[in-house]
Amino acid sequence: RSDLDSKSSEVAAKEKALVKRRADLVSRESQIIDSSKKSRENIRQREAELTKLARSIKLKEESLKSRECQDVESSRNAKESTRQKEAELSELERSLNSREESIKESFRESEED
């Protein structure tokens, strides 16, 4: 009888240990599943952030290219305007020189008279 009680106690202890081990495994599995879900969510959030950053960078690059094109066009326009003003100044200078010569000539002629 005591041998049977001893075996019964041993089986009950093993059963209790197995139940505890199973509960521990279920708990660990649950933790792993939760951790995995959190990791996947973090990955999704980071992917979304990276996508947003990539779009932002692309928009900034396009903006810079556009500004660069505008700056190049403005520079061309400024150079052309400067060339035109230089040409106008040269023409005015020639006109003034010609007028000055004409006045000097008139003055010489009036002195000779």
Side-chain angles (χ1 to χ4, degrees):
R1 175 91 175 135
S2 80
D3 205 24
L4 190 59
D5 286 341
S6 156
K7 290 276 187 194
S8 180
S9 292
E10 190 179 317
V11 168
K14 284 183 181 181
E15 185 179 2
K16 186 177 178 181
L18 286 173
V19 167
K20 183 176 178 352
R21 185 164 182 232
R22 182 164 196 254
D24 289 346
L25 288 174
V26 168
S27 174
R28 181 70 181 132
E29 180 184 31
S30 178
Q31 290 173 352
I32 290 171
I33 289 170
D34 287 345
S35 176
S36 178
K37 285 179 184 177
K38 288 178 184 175
S39 292
R40 283 194 298 267
E41 183 58 32
N42 285 340
I43 288 170
R44 278 189 222 108
Q45 287 176 351
R46 288 185 180 167
E47 286 174 343
E49 288 172 9
L50 288 173
T51 300
K52 185 178 176 182
L53 286 171
R55 278 190 218 120
S56 176
I57 288 170
K58 187 174 182 178
L59 288 172
K60 286 180 182 179
E61 285 175 344
E62 290 171 358
S63 175
L64 286 173
K65 285 178 185 176
S66 175
R67 275 194 221 143
E68 185 178 332
C69 289
Q70 289 172 354
D71 289 348
V72 167
E73 187 63 28
S74 293
S75 178
R76 283 184 192 141
N77 291 341
K79 286 178 184 177
E80 182 59 30
S81 177
T82 300
R83 278 190 218 115
Q84 288 175 353
K85 289 191 186 313
E86 286 173 345
E88 290 171 8
L89 284 172
S90 291
E91 182 60 34
L92 280 172
E93 191 175 15
R94 279 193 292 277
S95 176
L96 283 172
N97 286 339
S98 173
R99 182 89 170 122
E100 183 181 25
E101 285 301 315
S102 175
I103 290 170
K104 284 181 182 176
E105 185 65 32
S106 293
F107 186 72
R108 276 189 225 122
E109 288 175 0
S110 71
E111 282 186 342
E112 290 175 358
D113 287 345

